[in-house]
Amino acid sequence: MTVAAPVPPARRTAFVEGAERVRAAATTEPGRLRIIGAVLALVVVAFGAVTAWQAGARSAAADDVLHRSQPLSSGAADIYRSLADANTAASSGFLAGGQENASSRDRYEKDIRTAASGLVTAAANADPGSASEATIARLNRLLPEYKGLIERARTYNRQGYPVGGAYLRYANEKMQKEMLPAAETLYTTENRRLDADYGHARPYPWAAIALGLLALAALGWAQHRMYRRTNRVLNHGLVAASAATALVLLWLVVGHAIARSGLDGSYDQGIRSLNVLHDARIASLKARGNENLSLVARGAETITVDGKPYDAYYYDFDKDMAVLGKGLSEAADLADDQGGTAPVEAAQGNMAVWKQRHASARTEDENGNYQQALDKVIGAKGATGECFDSVDRNLARAIDHEQAEFRQSATDGRNAMTGLPVGAAVLAVLGAAGAVAGIGRRLSEYR
């Protein structure tokens, strides 16, 4: 009879063997101390690592708000403003005919250069293949086309040919229906990027805070356990670990609270006001352009609203002035100091005078007194152009003030997180070392 060979026992996995060793070690006090020391060190290091990660991510987002997304958002607004202002300057120069002054021409050229430079900056920061890249490419293609139309309008206008007005209206249509909507899309996209950066910088680092509280609780429990077994009040290593953990947690909570406050202030006192002011300035530019074009077209462009015919440019002027008035009112409400309030109130006064002078010029135009209407719009004294320039100048002052307020608050918010990622990592390592040293001191008593 053949006897079967004994079946060898199944080979245990490394995980099973490790678990058995841990269970065996937990049956003795030195083993339990080693496990406690390892867990304490792991929790403290994990707390430090998560703190460094979350604080670093929020600090980077705050830095993006200050140095990347907000400047790009303002740059996109400047592109829009420059294009609208170039269109306004071109129509003002056209009305002057052969007497176009150098300042009007220089203003147009400066605006075109500013828009082109802004597009270069925007292109350098656009993500490859993104919608922004396509929008910028479209504007770069449209800009020389627009310039060509303006130059033809000027050439024919200087020669006294009426076709010059047609070219100017065509250029204005390209600007209003293609270029400005594209610039507005770019501005909206950059604002979404800015909002996203704020969204990444502001949330509380709950994971790090929870791990910090867990680490403190674990260290407190370990010290209480040691006190019950040895009747010793303090363990220097565990006390040092607790102090390092508490310091990181306090730094994290206070630093993030200050950073969040600064970022909230930069948004409430800066970004919101800047958005309203940019919109108001663009509305004033569009209003001025429509006011000029109403005289260029001489009633050739009409629309029907509710069955009534209107001059298209006068109709758009009224809408733009309504937007301007609303924007100035909102900007006055948002301004929180005299530096922000004063230029907005001055612009409101300029707008009121502008509307009065415009009404007078429109009356002259509707009565067939073209030259008198022209003098009231682009004349050397008492013209609506003076009011527009004052509105634009005061809005620029308000924007500069709010930009400075944003920059200060955002800088304060970003600086509140300075050093926290590195500091948390270093203190966590020291805390873990302290926990291990404290447990090691207790273990030495068993040798």
Side-chain angles (χ1 to χ4, degrees), residues 38-107:
V39 171
L40 290 177
L42 179 63
V43 171
V44 173
V45 168
F47 168 53
V50 173
T51 298
W53 166 54
Q54 291 197 311
R58 283 154 178 75
S59 180
D63 194 69
D64 284 342
V65 165
L66 181 60
H67 291 125
R68 180 179 169 83
S69 52
Q70 197 282 327
L72 289 175
S73 175
S74 288
D78 283 340
I79 291 172
Y80 193 115
R81 185 205 64 78
S82 298
L83 291 174
D85 193 52
N87 201 46
T88 298
S91 61
S92 296
F94 186 93
L95 284 174
Q99 286 73 45
E100 179 182 6
N101 56 44
S103 63
S104 176
R105 177 80 185 194
D106 290 344
R107 181 171 183 168

Side-chain angles (χ1 to χ4, degrees), residues 6-7 11 27 85-87 97 133 142 189 197 209 231 246 260 278 282 355 400 404 409 413 421 433 439:
V7 178
R11 182 179 179 85
T27 60
D85 193 52
N87 201 46
E133 186 180 53
L142 290 171
T189 301
D197 285 338
I209 292 173
N231 209 30
R260 185 184 175 97
H278 282 309
I282 288 167
K355 291 173 71 174
D400 288 343
S409 295
I439 296 297

Side-chain angles (χ1 to χ4, degrees), residues 144-228:
E145 295 178 9
Y146 171 81
K147 289 176 63 181
L149 290 171
I150 291 297
E151 292 308 318
R152 289 179 185 175
R154 280 178 168 153
T155 300
Y156 287 122
N157 188 45
R158 283 194 297 266
Q159 295 172 357
Y161 295 142
V163 72
Y167 272 107
L168 183 67
R169 291 195 298 274
Y170 184 34
N172 176 71
E173 185 177 356
K174 183 176 288 289
M175 177 65 74
Q176 298 292 342
K177 295 185 177 180
E178 297 184 61
M179 298 177 69
L180 290 183
E184 184 176 9
T185 298
L186 181 62
Y187 177 51
T188 301
T189 301
E190 295 302 339
N191 269 347
R192 282 201 298 265
R193 182 190 295 192
L194 176 60
D195 289 340
D197 285 338
Y198 267 108
H200 293 146
R202 294 178 64 255
Y204 280 103
W206 293 117
I209 292 173
L211 273 173
L213 293 174
L214 177 63
L216 282 179
L219 287 165
W221 172 83
Q223 290 176 83
H224 180 67
R225 180 182 186 280
M226 201 166 290
Y227 168 71
R228 283 185 14 241

